[in-house]
Amino acid sequence: MKLSILGCYSATPRTLNNTTSQVLEINNHMFLIDCGEGTQVQLRKHKVKFNRIKHIFISHLHGDHFFGLVGLISTFRLLTRETDLHVYGPKGIKEIVTLQLKLADSWTNYNLYFHELSSSKSELVFEDDKVEVYTIPLNHRIYTNGYLFKEKEGDRKLDVYAAEEANINVAYYRKLVQGFDVENEDGALIDHKKVTTPGPKPLSYAFCSDTMYKEDIVPIIKDTDVLYHESTFLDQHENLATKTKHSTAKQAAQIAKQANVGTLILGHYSTRYDNIQVFKKEAKEIFKNVQLAKDGKTFEF
Amino acid sequence: MKLSILGCYSATPRTLNNTTSQVLEINNHMFLIDCGEGTQVQLRKHKVKFNRIKHIFISHLHGDHFFGLVGLISTFRLLTRETDLHVYGPKGIKEIVTLQLKLADSWTNYNLYFHELSSSKSELVFEDDKVEVYTIPLNHRIYTNGYLFKEKEGDRKLDVYAAEEANINVAYYRKLVQGFDVENEDGALIDHKKVTTPGPKPLSYAFCSDTMYKEDIVPIIKDTDVLYHESTFLDQHENLATKTKHSTAKQAAQIAKQANVGTLILGHYSTRYDNIQVFKKEAKEIFKNVQLAKDGKTFEF
């Protein structure tokens, strides 16, 4: 699982600060999460192949999280994309994009599907044989969702030597790694656990931005391996956080602790702070394993 | 008159190429012309004071000319702008911006006026005591206007020594520079031309992008000091220019020659060409005074 931060600052893009956008590589998927203005250029800088992006998840309709979407969709068209594109986001996102395409007289030449969200409960929005994506209802000034990306339990690992010893026909190997017991050549039932070991632990990633402190999300993101939680402010500005429905670094750490996540990544910093190291220091007082998002930084898990 | 090129490439923003946007400083006005994605960051890079921009002129609703507009308008709000903002552009531009502001629940705290255009004839869209702005109807795939910015005739320059010699009361000096004849202290009528010299020549700038070759614009831009004319293609790709309703460098030069402009600036290059010097070479065969737009370049006239 690999997370590339294209932008992690709040409010407005600046010369050195990009607004929110991330690429999550998980089980061969390349999910784009949020799409602030300039995301298409950030994708080019990071040499992300546009055609690998088939799913875009938008948290909410504030500009610093989606003003780059229509440009990306248009650029895909200009590059004669043929691959389907799925966009997940709040109700209204389809109208915004289609109005602009209509007025530009430039429909996409690929299939563009909108999955508009309006539920206040966590729901499964994407699933294939390897990955599930759920919404994480957040509490911000407008309707907002985080997203939880979960790998499914993968195949077990076959101990070929043990399988041969147990006299199992190779035709049954596939069944074994899928967790089924099988009969061997002598008609004896072989416990799959005797000839296989558990596969790699499925990983999970929760993206939570923008939101004020919201304990309701703890059960949804419980035991998640990696949690990105916004920390627009420091504790000294908790009043501003409450007023604007954002979180402090301390609050993000409290959520991480209660949810027992593996790693907490902080981001969505207000540009009022010159030194983002202070966010890490503040969060570490509550929760040990804290990392700082930075534009251009890649995390591998 | 000063022209700053924020971006001059066609189609899509890239790591080193910005899409169309320019700042024209003329007679203390700071006009923003077109606003491709990322324009607000380009403005920051060029240290343009946001509050000095009061008028934005959008040529047409293709993304590479206006996808940065809604972000700029939102950023102005976040920076607690109070100055009025006027946006000129094709019908539909108001709906695009207001839909996004509505869904973000973020109305501007300053007055935002839209001047929507739909005429196919050149019209005066802005005028004050120093400057006039006219549309230049162009021929592109969708409704498109260029803009002609014209300084008005300014005050004449007073020859103070001559005025004193002519025994004119200082109270009449203002009348003289405005071109009126006045009576001197002895009751004699003094020709204003005897004590004043012509003021600086009023300058004009014509912005023409995007358009196919269109001779109809020649009378509108006749004798303009500076003409920016798109040249998406070279003559070798004239068929592509015709097909996509763009111009070649050669065609831009033909327009410049017929209109007898002072300087031709080329831009809106397709990124298919590695070396933009070839555009200049091609245009110079038809018209002598050719300059190349480049992202970040400033022209002073």
Side-chain angles (χ1 to χ4, degrees):
Chain A
M1 188 169 76
K2 192 168 133 184
L3 178 71
S4 301
I5 309 292
L6 305 180
C8 66
Y9 284 83
S10 67
T12 71
R14 288 163 181 254
T15 313
L16 300 173
N17 306 130
N18 294 283
T19 49
T20 303
S21 189
Q22 309 184 346
V23 175
L24 178 70
E25 284 185 68
I26 183 169
N27 238 325
N28 278 325
H29 281 291
M30 194 164 244
F31 294 128
L32 184 67
I33 308 167
D34 277 349
C35 191
E37 184 176 348
T39 293
Q40 60 175 305
V41 174
Q42 286 294 93
L43 286 168
R44 285 186 190 272
K45 278 188 190 162
H46 287 76
K47 303 195 189 308
V48 175
K49 290 202 176 127
F50 285 175
N51 265 331
R52 286 204 56 203
I53 297 172
K54 292 169 188 159
H55 303 271
I56 302 178
F57 299 87
I58 300 294
S59 62
H60 66 300
L61 298 182
H62 278 156
D64 54 335
H65 294 257
F66 91 101
F67 277 168
L69 179 65
V70 67
L72 189 61
I73 287 171
S74 298
T75 291
F76 285 168
R77 184 188 69 83
L78 287 165
L79 299 177
T80 64
R81 177 189 178 106
E82 292 179 352
T83 317
D84 291 358
L85 181 68
H86 295 264
V87 176
Y88 306 78
K91 194 163 162 45
I93 198 167
K94 182 178 176 178
E95 188 184 355
I96 289 173
V97 173
T98 52
L99 173 65
Q100 291 181 82
L101 295 180
K102 189 184 86 180
L103 286 166
D105 197 16
S106 58
W107 297 105
T108 60
N109 37 353
Y110 55 91
N111 292 319
L112 175 59
Y113 300 98
F114 289 94
H115 306 266
E116 293 200 314
L117 309 170
S118 55
S119 172
S120 58
K121 290 186 181 156
S122 176
E123 53 184 347
L124 180 69
V125 290
F126 171 79
E127 181 178 17
D128 68 2
D129 57 340
K130 292 187 172 173
V131 179
E132 291 172 329
V133 184
Y134 295 87
T135 57
I136 309 168
L138 301 174
N139 186 358
H140 191 43
R141 301 194 300 277
I142 57 172
Y143 178 72
T144 304
N145 285 297
Y147 293 97
L148 174 63
F149 302 84
K150 289 177 77 166
E151 285 184 331
K152 289 184 177 176
E153 196 84 46
D155 285 350
R156 295 175 65 85
K157 196 170 178 320
L158 184 72
D159 180 340
V160 180
Y161 182 75
E164 282 172 355
E165 279 290 294
N167 204 20
I168 301 170
N169 190 303
V170 290
Y172 290 113
Y173 285 4
R174 182 91 201 102
K175 283 262 173 205
L176 287 168
V177 298
Q178 289 173 339
F180 296 99
D181 301 338
V182 302
E183 275 189 8
N184 73 358
E185 301 281 27
D186 312 317
L189 190 69
I190 306 294
D191 183 348
H192 72 279
K193 285 183 190 147
K194 285 196 174 159
V195 293
T196 62
T197 50
K201 182 184 168 295
L203 292 171
S204 54
Y205 172 66
F207 169 85
C208 294
S209 183
D210 297 356
T211 188
M212 66 186 299
Y213 180 77
K214 192 187 184 204
E215 285 183 6
D216 303 4
I217 68 172
V218 170
I220 304 169
I221 62 172
K222 194 78 184 169
D223 300 326
T224 294
D225 293 286
V226 184
L227 166 65
Y228 174 94
H229 195 291
E230 75 124 295
S231 57
T232 309
F233 297 104
L234 292 173
D235 188 46
Q236 67 187 95
H237 294 120
E238 195 196 334
N239 59 328
L240 278 180
T242 306
K243 192 178 157 197
T244 59
K245 295 206 172 184
H246 281 296
S247 301
T248 65
K250 184 179 170 182
Q251 290 170 335
Q254 285 166 336
I255 294 291
K257 188 178 179 183
Q258 291 170 68
N260 187 42
V261 305
T263 301
L264 168 65
I265 300 177
L266 296 177
H268 203 264
Y269 321 109
S270 161
T271 47
R272 77 180 55 220
Y273 306 107
D274 288 334
N275 176 12
I276 59 171
Q277 292 302 324
V278 193
F279 285 86
K280 189 171 184 175
K281 192 165 171 251
E282 180 174 302
K284 264 181 159 313
E285 286 173 21
I286 310 276
F287 182 81
K288 194 177 160 195
N289 196 3
V290 180
Q291 300 275 346
L292 292 177
K294 281 183 200 166
D295 293 7
K297 190 168 175 177
T298 294
F299 299 91
E300 298 209 37
F301 300 98
Chain B
M1 189 169 77
K2 192 168 132 184
L3 179 71
S4 301
I5 308 293
L6 305 179
C8 65
Y9 284 84
S10 67
T12 72
R14 288 164 181 254
T15 313
L16 300 173
N17 305 130
N18 293 284
T19 49
T20 304
S21 188
Q22 310 185 345
V23 175
L24 178 71
E25 284 184 70
I26 182 169
N27 239 322
N28 278 325
H29 281 291
M30 194 164 242
F31 294 128
L32 184 67
I33 308 168
D34 277 349
C35 191
E37 184 175 346
T39 293
Q40 59 176 306
V41 174
Q42 287 293 94
L43 286 168
R44 284 186 190 273
K45 277 189 191 163
H46 286 78
K47 303 197 190 309
V48 175
K49 288 198 177 134
F50 285 175
N51 265 330
R52 285 203 58 204
I53 297 172
K54 293 169 188 159
H55 303 272
I56 302 178
F57 299 87
I58 301 293
S59 62
H60 65 302
L61 299 181
H62 279 157
D64 54 334
H65 294 256
F66 91 102
F67 277 167
L69 179 66
V70 67
L72 189 63
I73 286 171
S74 298
T75 291
F76 285 167
R77 185 188 69 84
L78 287 165
L79 300 176
T80 65
R81 176 188 178 107
E82 292 180 350
T83 316
D84 291 357
L85 182 67
H86 295 264
V87 176
Y88 307 78
K91 193 162 164 44
I93 197 165
K94 181 177 178 179
E95 188 184 356
I96 289 173
V97 173
T98 53
L99 174 65
Q100 291 181 83
L101 295 180
K102 190 185 88 180
L103 287 166
D105 198 16
S106 58
W107 296 106
T108 60
N109 38 352
Y110 56 90
N111 293 318
L112 175 58
Y113 300 100
F114 289 92
H115 306 266
E116 293 199 314
L117 309 171
S118 54
S119 172
S120 58
K121 289 185 181 157
S122 177
E123 53 185 346
L124 180 69
V125 290
F126 172 79
E127 180 177 22
D128 68 2
D129 56 339
K130 292 187 171 171
V131 179
E132 291 171 329
V133 184
Y134 295 87
T135 57
I136 308 168
L138 300 175
N139 186 0
H140 191 43
R141 300 195 300 278
I142 56 173
Y143 178 71
T144 304
N145 285 298
Y147 293 97
L148 172 65
F149 303 84
K150 289 177 77 167
E151 285 185 332
K152 289 183 176 177
E153 194 85 44
D155 286 349
R156 295 176 64 84
K157 198 170 177 323
L158 184 72
D159 181 341
V160 180
Y161 181 75
E164 283 171 355
E165 280 290 296
N167 203 20
I168 300 170
N169 190 302
V170 291
Y172 290 114
Y173 284 6
R174 182 93 201 98
K175 284 262 173 207
L176 287 169
V177 298
Q178 289 173 338
F180 296 99
D181 300 338
V182 300
E183 276 190 7
N184 73 356
E185 300 281 26
D186 311 317
L189 190 68
I190 306 294
D191 182 347
H192 71 279
K193 284 182 192 146
K194 286 197 174 159
V195 294
T196 61
T197 51
K201 181 183 168 296
L203 292 172
S204 54
Y205 172 66
F207 169 85
C208 294
S209 183
D210 296 358
T211 187
M212 64 186 299
Y213 179 76
K214 191 187 184 205
E215 284 184 6
D216 302 3
I217 68 174
V218 170
I220 304 169
I221 62 172
K222 192 80 186 168
D223 300 326
T224 294
D225 293 286
V226 184
L227 165 66
Y228 174 94
H229 195 291
E230 75 124 297
S231 57
T232 308
F233 297 104
L234 292 172
D235 187 47
Q236 67 188 97
H237 295 120
E238 195 195 334
N239 60 328
L240 278 180
T242 305
K243 190 177 159 197
T244 59
K245 293 204 171 185
H246 281 297
S247 299
T248 64
K250 182 178 170 183
Q251 290 169 335
Q254 284 165 337
I255 294 291
K257 188 178 180 183
Q258 290 171 67
N260 188 40
V261 305
T263 301
L264 168 65
I265 300 176
L266 297 176
H268 202 265
Y269 320 109
S270 162
T271 48
R272 76 181 55 220
Y273 305 107
D274 288 332
N275 176 13
I276 59 171
Q277 293 301 326
V278 193
F279 285 85
K280 190 170 182 174
K281 190 165 173 252
E282 180 173 304
K284 263 180 160 313
E285 286 173 20
I286 310 274
F287 183 79
K288 194 178 161 195
N289 196 3
V290 180
Q291 300 275 346
L292 292 177
K294 281 183 199 167
D295 293 6
K297 189 168 176 178
T298 294
F299 298 91
E300 298 208 38
F301 301 97

